């Protein structure tokens, strides 16, 4: 299979200047000198932006767009979740279709493939409000088939489609430091690049629809497997009389030092799992990654083993905890040995 | 300060050289004596046997490849035990299981010597650059005496208490590392087989929460198919085996480590044991549809 060509841009987290214009979102951004100037430098995004889905990720992302001076219209299944955004200046529409109708580009950040399809293609879904000249940017994490399905529904109206799942959880979303893994319509990509730069620190264009989704799943499967290995280590160190906090410190000094370990390690040792990335979504990503692997007959044993642990964790009622709660599944295995 | 140094493999050679460059007097020994010559050129003296080295030096460091070599150097004829005694210290920086370390510790102490286990985290380059992380346990007074040497050899040292704690800490760290190498390999293979550019995966990983020096260093060399051994795969598999054994003894669930170990075993059976441990990628890559007959 030919590898998809990728273009990549890294930008500074905080644009140097932002101007508020009526009905437009004008961003004059300064880019790190090590990066080449972007094609759209000097001129920002002009138009109305829709945002569907105001959960853990959607709320801070939409909020960052509003703070950057964008004209944002929101919708969420539970209406009350829109209130904080409305008080920041967002408008409200009663359905994804109405948001899409009233906006030039509409973003969607939903929890899983089912919701993403429902919001895009269902009754009063975004596709109903799409038309030539409009764009739909789905930043949900879904499987490639779902992304292609949504893409077809959108483009059949004459509008353009970009899949753009993100790497990064709650804090990077709040800080505007997400990594966008986009694919699909490259004109739409260029058009929304200034918006991606508000919400993120880095963006990739990976070619045809499906490539962004696949890249996201691969990244998250590596992460999900690493979290289980780390959990095994924390528990083993505790069991043999070592201080797990010392393990975290030793790891931070060496070749396998990763932000995730330093960030989550201390709270995992205290059995605290404040939700930055819900365990149920991590397990969803592993399930989708396993399906992707199966489709190309790729064996991924540690991911398969890790997935089992996340399933156990879900059965223990930890679905809405942070995905680091998977360590509890290892503990439970010890207490309740399977025959 | 004068130290003896037993074992001049990938790690030992770099570590002894570092000590010499920092003004330590070093007496070296290696099973294949010819390997001592490079260190002699840097100012080292040669001991004909481990016993000869210990006879000459107040402190002797050992850096052997596995439990069997570590035991052999101590217990065999002309071994450390023949000359260790009161006033002398033995510091074993090999990576072994806690039981092996205890056995050596008891024997050394019985002869009146002091013992410190001090396995390291870090491979060839950190050894050359004096950037190892030292995980010591055992005799605290000996640890304090060794601090000047540890400061040359590493960027940070930990004293972890009783014998076995250093060995176990090292095994836990290397278990995680071995599993991470498998996770990376699975990601790179799947990316490649799904029509993505694996280098792009590396770029994305390097920007996020799971970015780490190992991925950054080994990722590109894996994609080039370059496996010069900084850390031989056979030693990584040895560490996985010892870690799993520790887990077995303590009834700790370790499914991902177990899956990783299987891949390293397969790699050894394919003759990849002397390559860098990142060569496990070849096993994962081989386990894909594109490689079926």
């Amino acid at each position: 299979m030919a590898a998809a060509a990728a273009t990549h841009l890294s930008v500074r987290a905080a644009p140097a200047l932002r101007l508020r214009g009526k009905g437009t979102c004008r961003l004059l951004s300064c880019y790190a000198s090590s990066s080449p100037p972007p094609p759209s430098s000097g001129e920002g995004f002009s138009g109305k932006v829709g945002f569907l889905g105001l959960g853990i990720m959607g709320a801070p992302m939409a909020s960052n767009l509003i703070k950057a001076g964008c004209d944002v219209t929101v919708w969420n299944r539970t209406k009350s979740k829109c209130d904080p955004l409305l008080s920041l200046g967002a408008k409200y529409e009663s359905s994804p279709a109405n948001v899409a109708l009233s906006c030039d580009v509409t973003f969607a950040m939903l929890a899983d493939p089912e919701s993403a399809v429902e919001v895009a293609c269902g009754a009063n879904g975004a596709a109903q409000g799409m038309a030539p000249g409009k764009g739909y940017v789905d930043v949900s994490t879904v499987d490639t088939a779902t992304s292609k399905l949504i893409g077809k529904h959108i483009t059949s109206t004459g509008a353009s489609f970009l899949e753009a799942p993100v790497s990064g959880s709650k804090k990077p979303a709040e800080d505007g430091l997400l990594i966008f893994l986009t694919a699909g319509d490259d004109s739409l990509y260029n058009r929304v690049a200034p918006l991606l730069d508000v919400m993120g620190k880095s963006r990739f264009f990976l070619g045809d629809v499906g490539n962004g989704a696949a890249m996201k799943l691969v990244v998250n499967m590596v992460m999900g497997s690493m979290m289980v290995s780390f959990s095994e280590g924390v528990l083993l160190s505790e069991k043999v009389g070592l201080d797990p906090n010392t393990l975290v410190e030793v790891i931070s000094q060496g070749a396998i030092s990763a932000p995730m370990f330093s960030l989550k390690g201390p709270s995992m040792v205290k059995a605290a799992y404040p939700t930055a990335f819900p365990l149920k979504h991590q397990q969803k990503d592993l399930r989708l990654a396993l399906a992707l692997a199966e489709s190309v007959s790729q064996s991924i044993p540690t991911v398969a083993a890790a997935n089992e642990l996340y399933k156990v964790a879900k059965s223990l009622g930890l679905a809405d905890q942070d995905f680091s709660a998977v360590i509890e599944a290892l503990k439970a295995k010890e207490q309740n040995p399977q025959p | 300060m004068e130290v003896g140094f037993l074992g001049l493999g990938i790690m030992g050679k770099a570590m002894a050289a570092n000590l010499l460059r920092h003004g330590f007097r070093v007496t070296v020994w290696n099973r294949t004596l010819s390997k001592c010559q490079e260190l002699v050129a840097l100012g080292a003296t040669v001991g004909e046997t481990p016993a000869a080295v210990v006879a000459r030096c107040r402190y002797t460091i050992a850096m052997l490849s596995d439990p069997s070599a570590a035991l052999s150097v101590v217990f065999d004829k002309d071994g450390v035990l023949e000359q260790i005694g009161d006033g002398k210290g033995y510091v074993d920086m090999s990576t072994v299981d806690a039981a092996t370390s205890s056995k050596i510790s008891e024997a050394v102490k019985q002869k009146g010597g002091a013992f410190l286990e001090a396995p390291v985290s870090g491979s060839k380059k950190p050894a050359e650059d004096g950037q190892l992380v030292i995980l010591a346990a055992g005799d605290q007074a000996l640890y304090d005496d060794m601090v000047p040497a540890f400061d040359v050899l590493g960027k940070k040292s930990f004293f972890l208490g009783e014998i076995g704690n250093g060995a176990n800490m090292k095994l836990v760290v290397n278990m995680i590392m071995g599993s991470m190498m498998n996770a990376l390999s699975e990601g790179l293979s799947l990316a490649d087989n799904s029509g993505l550019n694996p280098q792009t995966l590396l770029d994305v990983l390097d920007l996020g929460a799971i970015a780490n020096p190992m991925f950054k260093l080994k990722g590109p060399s894996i994609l080039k198919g370059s496996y010069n051994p900084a850390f031989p795969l056979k030693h990584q598999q040895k560490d996985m085996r010892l870690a799993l054994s520790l887990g077995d003894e303590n009834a700790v669930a370790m499914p991902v480590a177990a899956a990783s170990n299987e891949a390293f075993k397969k790699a050894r059976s394919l003759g990849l044991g002397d390559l860098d441990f990142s060569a496990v990628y070849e096993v994962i890559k081989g386990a894909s549809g594109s490689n079926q007959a």
Side-chain angles (χ1 to χ4, degrees):
Chain A
M1 283 188 190
T7 58
H8 165 220
L9 205 70
S10 268
V11 303
R12 282 233 174 271
L17 291 170
R18 289 193 176 103
L19 300 178
R20 219 173 240 277
K22 229 199 319 188
T24 63
C25 178
R26 291 177 149 270
L27 308 165
L28 296 176
S29 303
C30 286
Y31 294 87
S33 58
S34 58
S35 311
S40 57
S41 84
E43 197 71 77
F45 176 87
S46 91
K48 298 174 69 174
V49 184
F51 211 106
L52 313 173
L54 301 173
I56 293 175
M57 296 297 286
M61 291 167 79
S63 157
N64 278 334
L65 289 174
I66 297 167
K67 288 176 191 165
C70 297
D71 181 332
V72 178
T73 305
V74 300
W75 168 88
N76 192 66
R77 191 176 53 183
T78 310
K79 184 178 185 278
S80 57
K81 287 233 179 127
C82 296
D83 296 342
L85 283 310
L86 300 181
S87 58
L88 282 177
K91 303 197 203 50
Y92 171 79
E93 287 288 348
S94 59
S95 69
N98 287 340
V99 169
L101 209 57
S102 70
C103 294
D104 299 292
V105 171
T106 300
F107 286 82
M109 186 43 130
L110 289 323
D112 49 43
E114 295 68 36
S115 326
V117 170
E118 176 67 26
V119 162
C121 315
N124 300 312
Q128 308 287 334
M130 283 289 155
K134 290 185 190 281
Y136 190 69
V137 183
D138 200 334
V139 296
S140 319
T141 295
V142 302
D143 56 292
T144 58
T146 296
S147 195
K148 288 175 182 174
L149 178 73
I150 293 171
K152 275 220 178 72
H153 269 85
I154 298 294
T155 55
S156 68
T157 70
S160 352
F161 175 70
L162 188 71
E163 73 182 0
V166 297
S167 187
S169 64
K170 183 176 174 185
K171 192 154 196 315
E174 291 165 350
D175 297 344
L177 294 176
L178 295 169
I179 302 162
F180 286 91
L181 306 171
T182 79
D185 190 296
D186 64 343
S187 316
L188 180 55
Y189 172 69
N190 287 322
R191 187 175 169 199
V192 300
L195 301 177
L196 303 187
D197 293 343
V198 167
M199 296 182 283
K201 63 173 176 177
S202 201
R203 50 184 161 86
F204 293 76
F205 182 76
L206 301 169
D208 296 334
V209 173
N211 287 350
M215 183 64 80
K216 170 63 190 285
L217 294 179
V218 175
V219 169
N220 270 28
M221 88 182 203
V222 176
M223 181 168 80
S225 173
M226 275 174 64
M227 178 53 81
V228 174
S229 311
F230 180 64
S231 300
E232 290 172 358
V234 168
L235 284 178
L236 182 58
S237 68
E238 266 175 344
K239 244 324 176 59
V240 300
L242 298 171
D243 180 353
N245 287 306
T246 307
L247 172 67
V248 174
E249 200 193 337
V250 170
I251 286 175
S252 76
Q253 292 288 331
I256 57 170
S257 171
M260 179 175 85
F261 296 154
S262 312
L263 238 64
K264 303 218 184 242
S267 47
M268 287 167 72
V269 170
K270 292 199 285 262
Y273 315 106
T275 309
F277 180 35
L279 189 141
K280 65 190 177 192
H281 296 329
Q282 173 64 278
Q283 195 276 314
K284 175 258 293 176
D285 290 347
L286 291 180
R287 183 178 76 242
L288 298 181
L290 285 161
L292 176 64
E294 194 177 305
S295 74
V296 293
S297 301
Q298 173 68 54
S299 175
I300 47 174
T302 72
V303 172
N307 187 46
E308 288 304 307
L309 269 305
Y310 289 103
K311 282 155 64 179
V312 170
K314 278 175 71 179
S315 76
L316 294 172
L318 301 171
D320 292 316
Q321 300 282 315
D322 187 72
F323 77 116
S324 48
V326 72
I327 192 173
E328 295 291 328
L330 287 164
K331 293 180 192 174
K333 266 195 168 180
E334 288 173 81
Q335 286 152 28
N336 298 302
Q338 301 299 321
Chain B
M1 188 175 173
E2 173 165 27
V3 297
F5 209 107
L6 313 178
L8 301 174
I10 292 175
M11 296 297 287
K13 178 172 127 177
M15 291 162 75
N18 233 343
L19 289 169
L20 286 163
R21 272 194 301 259
H22 282 83
F24 284 71
R25 280 163 296 141
V26 185
T27 302
V28 298
W29 169 87
N30 193 63
R31 191 175 54 184
T32 312
L33 272 174
S34 58
K35 281 221 180 142
C36 298
Q37 288 316 304
E38 275 188 69
L39 281 311
V40 167
L42 291 173
T45 323
V46 179
E48 297 279 307
T49 63
V53 172
V54 171
R56 198 192 149 93
C57 303
R58 185 166 166 201
Y59 305 101
T60 299
I61 296 172
M63 191 45 139
L64 288 326
S65 53
D66 54 39
S68 125
L71 289 167
S72 160
V73 149
V74 170
F75 289 96
D76 287 358
K77 183 175 176 310
D78 297 323
V80 167
L81 281 185
E82 287 186 11
Q83 290 293 332
I84 198 82
D86 227 344
K88 286 188 189 281
Y90 185 59
V91 182
D92 197 340
M93 302 186 78
S94 319
T95 295
V96 301
D97 55 297
T100 296
S101 194
S102 289
K103 196 167 169 189
I104 295 172
S105 176
E106 284 315 303
V108 164
K109 277 156 65 177
Q110 223 180 36
K111 293 270 175 174
F115 178 73
L116 190 70
E117 71 186 15
V120 303
S121 188
S123 65
K124 185 175 175 188
K125 192 154 196 317
E128 290 165 349
D129 298 343
Q131 293 293 300
L132 297 169
V133 177
I134 298 167
L135 307 169
D139 190 300
Q140 180 137 38
L142 178 54
Y143 174 78
D144 293 337
D145 288 350
M146 292 305 295
V147 163
F150 288 166
D151 285 345
V152 165
L153 294 172
K155 63 170 169 174
K156 196 155 166 89
S157 305
F158 292 81
F159 182 74
L160 299 169
E162 57 182 36
I163 285 289
N165 286 353
N168 286 339
M169 182 66 83
K170 171 63 191 285
L171 291 180
V172 174
V173 172
N174 270 30
M175 172 191 96
I176 298 172
M177 182 168 82
S179 291
M180 280 171 64
M181 182 55 80
N182 272 272
L184 177 67
S185 297
E186 290 171 10
L188 288 171
S189 285
L190 182 55
D192 200 26
N193 277 330
S194 304
L196 300 172
N197 184 342
Q199 180 59 52
T200 307
L201 173 63
L202 291 177
D203 294 340
V204 174
L205 290 175
D206 202 45
L207 289 165
I210 53 174
N212 62 89
M214 180 180 87
F215 283 4
K216 197 173 175 113
L217 190 67
K218 305 279 185 189
S221 53
I222 287 174
L223 295 183
K224 287 198 285 257
S226 160
Y227 301 114
N228 289 323
F231 181 35
L233 188 143
K234 64 188 178 193
H235 296 327
Q236 171 67 72
Q237 196 273 314
K238 175 256 296 175
D239 291 349
M240 296 302 294
R241 182 176 70 245
L242 295 177
L244 283 164
S245 189
L246 189 58
D248 283 354
E249 286 162 36
N250 292 279
V252 176
M254 292 160 51
V256 169
S260 302
N261 188 46
E262 287 304 307
F264 285 120
K265 275 159 60 177
K266 178 101 194 264
R268 277 180 58 202
S269 76
L270 293 173
L272 306 178
D274 290 321
L275 296 178
D276 189 72
F277 78 116
S278 50
V280 74
Y281 172 75
E282 296 295 321
V283 168
I284 310 291
K285 189 171 80 162
S288 75
S290 58
N291 282 292
Q292 275 158 25

